[in-house]
Amino acid sequence: MSYPTLAPFIQQRPWLMRWMRPLARWYFDNSGYRKLGLRADDLIPEESESVQLALKRLPPKEAYDRVFRMRRAFQCSLAHQLLPQTEWTKADEDISYLEPIIKEIEAERTEREDLESMIIKKRTSASTKGGH
Amino acid sequence: MLSRSAFRQATRQSWLQQRRGMAAPASGSFQYQVGEAAGIKIASRDTSGPIGTIALVAQAGTRYETMPGLAEGLNKYAFKNTDRRTSLRIQRESELLGGSLISTHTRENLVTGAKFFRDDLPYFVELLAEVASQTSYRPHVMQEEVIPLVMMDHKKFLANTLDMALSSVHSLAFHRGLGNTIKPASSTPYTKYLTAESLEEYAQSAYAKSSFAIVGNGVDHAELSKWTNEFFGDARKSPLQQLTSAQSKYYGGEERISHGSGNSMVIAFSGSSSPTGASYKPEAAVLAALLGGQSAIKWTPGFSLLSKATQEAPNMHVATKSNVYTDAGLVTIAMDGSATDIRSTAGKVVEALKSVAQNISKEDFQKAKALAKFKELEYGQEPRAALELTGAGLVRDNKPYQIDDVAKSIDGVTEEKVKKLVKEALENKASVSAVGDLYLLPFAEEVGLKV
């Protein structure tokens, strides 16, 4: 999931973060998924190898809660209703539980590709360990 | 032109070197040098050749495991993801260096090690230190990589009647401890007990400085000390839970297991402990060679007592082995073949055993002693020889396994000692296990053994 993003650029500059944080907060609240009781990571499209593997690696409790949230949101969508305000996802509950696992899987994949496209030079002395 | 005294001294030195020891290789002997580094016991011997082997021998085999399946699980988790690098990277780097990784477990020890070119010693010592203290135990690695392998081991074990019978005699002989099964016999170990958390706890007990020793073959002792000091400095000092096992006691009994494919019958009795242990009896090795069953020469059954006794069943595999553990041992006579063969020859095997208690012919005895000594010295020449036994001896009794001494003690075995061993075995309960077609396989009493 590598798409062009300014997020790292902004996160490294605290003055930009101060400007962006209220804007981001407003944006998240208004995008509406929290009013259906969902978290941001529930919205990640599942149709990719990495995400499928990440879902398999979820701890059982997280997986169960995810399914519950999705069913509740689907029911709301069928009924054309939003959840009562007490049940909306709060900002501190909207944690990223799937994204770190996906990043791990992606890192493993790139590492494998790097190792496979390595150029190996024959050792001349005992100190070097092979080209990388 | 050399002066006369220098010449005389040189010849004297070369004469002394030739008299040094039996079959000592050119650049060293079979003796292990013992030392300590960073609070860990190390032993090494510098054999000739470009390849070295090191192993981390932890006293955490199936005998010491706190729950079933943990020893095997920990063994299969060796060289997986650590805090610093992934398992893929470890494998690739080892391959590039031309090394191969070893990870086995026995009833008493977990052996994690590597074979490599001598120059790469620092890399592999660092790798072992990472495996011991920095492996990260994650549930998804268990699910994806470790548990499928344990399941395969389980299936393989259930398909092999000889393994089942040997495992059964061990549990009959020793009950808990040495009697724990070395491979999972049912699915409870990996469904009930083997999880990432339980493995992590077990690792904190197994890979503590007092629970393991580092043994090297073909590496320089000073180098090994230096790198151990450097990399193992921050390993865990004391185990989370002291892994102990009570002194092994021999019980005995009989077990019969029904099995659809394959037939095996194993007779076992108390044998000798390891030379570093308390009840060491070199006559057990001589007895195993005397009874024999397998020949080193092709296309002939050989002339050992059991080969002669089982002549009419040439397709049956019969072998005697002296299994040696730190504080106890088991001499096993294993028969594997068709059920009718076992039925007809089991009685003869027991008769051969009883005849040893009465009388051993001088020629047979000489042959057996020579064979036992040969096997011992041949074992000593293998690169992995005695790694496990030395490590275990160091951890438990602080003594390494010295092959020269063992071979010498076989010289001191007399016929009386062997007869005495067999007489005691026949007076006490034997451990007998029959796996296969139980309708045909005989009971222990039917073949004349006491259970």
Side-chain angles (χ1 to χ4, degrees), chain A residues 57 104 111 116 120 123, chain B residues 86 92 120 138 140 144:
Chain A
R57 290 188 186 184
E104 221 180 78
E111 188 190 45
E116 300 214 341
I120 302 169
R123 258 204 295 194
Chain B
T86 59
R92 293 290 169 98
D120 297 327
R138 305 282 302 281
H140 69 86
E144 290 169 19

Side-chain angles (χ1 to χ4, degrees), chain B residues 295-317:
Chain B
S295 166
I297 307 163
K298 266 188 178 179
W299 312 126
T300 144
F303 300 100
S304 50
L305 292 180
L306 288 187
S307 313
K308 288 188 241 172
T310 58
Q311 250 169 8
E312 42 178 60
N315 289 331
M316 190 179 80
H317 164 98

Side-chain angles (χ1 to χ4, degrees), chain B residues 320-428:
Chain B
T320 318
K321 187 165 179 232
S322 163
N323 297 294
V324 146
Y325 305 110
T326 39
D327 59 355
L330 207 61
V331 176
T332 54
I333 304 172
M335 291 171 273
D336 184 41
S338 75
T340 36
D341 277 345
I342 296 179
R343 187 186 179 78
S344 53
T345 55
K348 301 210 179 79
V349 165
V350 177
E351 268 171 37
L353 187 62
K354 287 182 177 163
S355 75
V356 170
Q358 304 303 320
N359 177 37
I360 312 173
S361 91
K362 206 160 148 49
E363 193 194 329
D364 280 342
F365 185 70
Q366 292 299 330
K367 273 197 285 187
K369 246 172 74 162
L371 185 60
K373 197 161 146 183
F374 174 78
K375 280 203 174 130
E376 197 56 57
L377 288 173
E378 185 193 35
Y379 183 60
Q381 277 190 299
E382 285 173 26
R384 278 209 231 176
L387 273 181
E388 190 210 324
L389 287 168
T390 303
L394 277 178
V395 177
R396 197 173 165 110
D397 307 303
N398 223 352
K399 279 187 278 183
Y401 182 83
Q402 303 287 23
I403 290 168
D404 280 349
D405 299 335
V406 170
K408 262 194 222 119
S409 56
I410 292 182
D411 278 335
V413 173
T414 62
E415 289 161 17
E416 291 311 311
K417 288 192 195 161
V418 176
K419 279 194 216 168
K420 182 160 159 266
L421 184 68
V422 179
K423 276 199 192 102
E424 275 171 13
L426 291 171
E427 276 161 29
N428 295 330

Side-chain angles (χ1 to χ4, degrees), chain B residues 81-95:
Chain B
N81 294 334
T82 66
D83 290 337
R84 271 197 229 146
R85 42 189 165 165
T86 59
S87 60
L88 177 68
R89 201 187 158 114
I90 292 175
Q91 294 293 328
R92 293 290 169 98
E93 285 181 350
S94 312
E95 279 171 9

Side-chain angles (χ1 to χ4, degrees), chain A:
Chain A
M1 278 205 326
S2 46
Y3 43 83
T5 165
L6 281 174
F9 178 83
I10 295 174
Q11 277 164 345
Q12 278 161 11
R13 289 157 181 74
W15 54 275
L16 262 183
M17 281 295 277
R18 252 183 293 126
W19 279 90
M20 290 299 295
R21 214 173 267 129
L23 199 62
R25 218 175 286 144
W26 173 86
Y27 181 84
F28 274 121
D29 285 337
N30 272 291
S31 49
Y33 66 87
R34 290 185 181 175
K35 297 176 185 164
L36 292 173
L38 291 168
R39 291 186 187 173
D41 277 7
D42 295 340
L43 302 175
I44 297 176
E46 288 179 19
E47 292 82 4
S48 92
E49 290 285 337
S50 313
V51 182
Q52 285 292 319
L53 190 56
L55 289 174
K56 286 201 189 104
R57 290 188 186 184
L58 270 183
K61 182 175 184 305
E62 292 285 337
Y64 182 83
D65 287 345
R66 175 192 158 89
V67 170
F68 169 74
R69 284 194 299 271
M70 286 182 157
R71 285 181 159 185
R72 185 175 58 178
F74 193 69
Q75 186 61 35
C76 289
S77 150
L78 280 180
H80 292 279
Q81 299 282 331
L82 293 178
L83 287 178
Q85 203 152 4
T86 49
E87 290 183 35
W88 291 0
T89 318
K90 308 199 185 20
D92 51 355
E93 282 173 358
D94 192 3
I95 47 178
S96 185
Y97 62 91
L98 195 58
E99 191 73 36
I101 305 179
I102 297 175
K103 287 232 157 17
E104 221 180 78
I105 296 171
E106 293 287 308
E108 281 173 20
R109 215 157 261 171
T110 30
E111 188 190 45
R112 183 178 284 267
E113 283 168 15
D114 285 342
L115 285 171
E116 300 214 341
S117 58
M118 196 164 53
I119 300 171
I120 302 169
K121 292 189 213 115
K122 201 170 152 94
R123 258 204 295 194
T124 47
S125 71
S127 52
T128 50
K129 262 196 281 188
H132 195 119

